[in-house]
């Protein structure tokens, strides 16, 4: 991870003197993400399939973002992004998970994933073709609780908690005089067996100060925290509405 931070940081330093916004810009948006979940969770060597064993399904996935762009050379622009993923389901675990013997019992499972991103980025291009390059610090917090469905015991809790550096890349192509644009953005890192990838592609329509987006978002988390591990993929369509000044 340190090598990635140095590489991205060096790239940012190189583009900083030649990239800046013409005016101060401020924007915010909220979105709803209709996603599906697949993959595995592990605890002390025991593994469950979150889709087939736990039957986890989406309850609510929300996202909110805020950004500030400015014309000051060298200083990066700033973006904050918060994502909340909540999934629950009722399934069956045959045998042990995390040292707990569920023995084929019906289980109730709840997965909560929270992500708070701080992104520092530069506008490399800012016309009908827009290109941003930056570095993201992601505060990732995840908790999977598996418990016997009727009594709540036995139960097991799998957690991950870390602040992770990630590269940031965003591109957008504006169709002149239409208010329509196409874009994609993503965060990514891969290091020492762990990896996180978070990408989305979208179409956007802008009228006055209002922006509407619709697209597809795919997030992949393969992260180990002590004896706990999450190896999951979350993907699906999203819609958002925002304002920009």
């Amino acid at each position: 991870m340190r090598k990635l931070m140095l590489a991205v940081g060096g790239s940012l330093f190189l583009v900083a003197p030649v990239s800046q916004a013409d005016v101060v810009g401020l924007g915010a948006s909220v979105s709803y993400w209709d996603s599906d979940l697949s993959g595995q969770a592990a605890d002390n060597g025991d593994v469950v399939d979150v889709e087939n064993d736990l039957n986890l399904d989406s309850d609510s996935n929300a996202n909110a973002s805020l950004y500030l762009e400015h014309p000051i050379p060298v200083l990066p622009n700033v973006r904050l992004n918060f994502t909340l993923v909540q999934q629950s389901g009722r399934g069956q675990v045959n045998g042990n998970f995390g040292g707990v013997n569920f023995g084929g019992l019906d289980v109730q499972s709840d997965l909560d994933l929270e992500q708070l991103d701080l992104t520092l980025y530069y506008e490399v291009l800012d016309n009908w073709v827009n290109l941003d390059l930056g570095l993201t610090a992601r505060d990732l917090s995840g908790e999977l609780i598996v418990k016997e469905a009727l009594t709540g015991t036995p139960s097991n809790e799998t957690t991950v908690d870390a602040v992770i550096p990630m590269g940031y890349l965003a591109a957008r192509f504006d169709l002149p005089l239409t208010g329509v644009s196409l874009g994609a953005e993503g965060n990514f890192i891969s290091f020492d067996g762990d990896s996180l990838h978070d990408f989305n592609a979208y179409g956007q329509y802008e009228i006055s100060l209002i922006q509407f987006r619709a697209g597809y978002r795919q997030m992949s988390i393969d992260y180990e925290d002590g004896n706990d591990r999450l190896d999951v993929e979350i993907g699906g369509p999203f819609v958002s509405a925002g304002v920009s000044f």
Side-chain angles (χ1 to χ4, degrees), residues 217-233:
R217 182 179 179 182
Q218 179 79 31
M219 182 165 63
S220 174
I221 301 173
D222 185 359
Y223 188 78
E224 185 173 357
D225 190 352
N227 294 321
D228 297 340
R229 187 178 189 92
L230 280 180
D231 184 4
V232 297
E233 288 191 358

Side-chain angles (χ1 to χ4, degrees), residues 37-41 48-56 144 232:
L37 176 72
S38 63
Q40 297 178 332
V48 294
D49 189 299
V50 297
E51 182 180 19
N52 297 322
D53 296 333
L54 304 183
N55 292 323
L56 286 176
L144 172 64
V232 297

Side-chain angles (χ1 to χ4, degrees), residues 2 28 30 55 61 63 198:
R2 181 173 179 271
V30 293
N55 292 323
N61 302 327
N63 187 87
D198 189 352

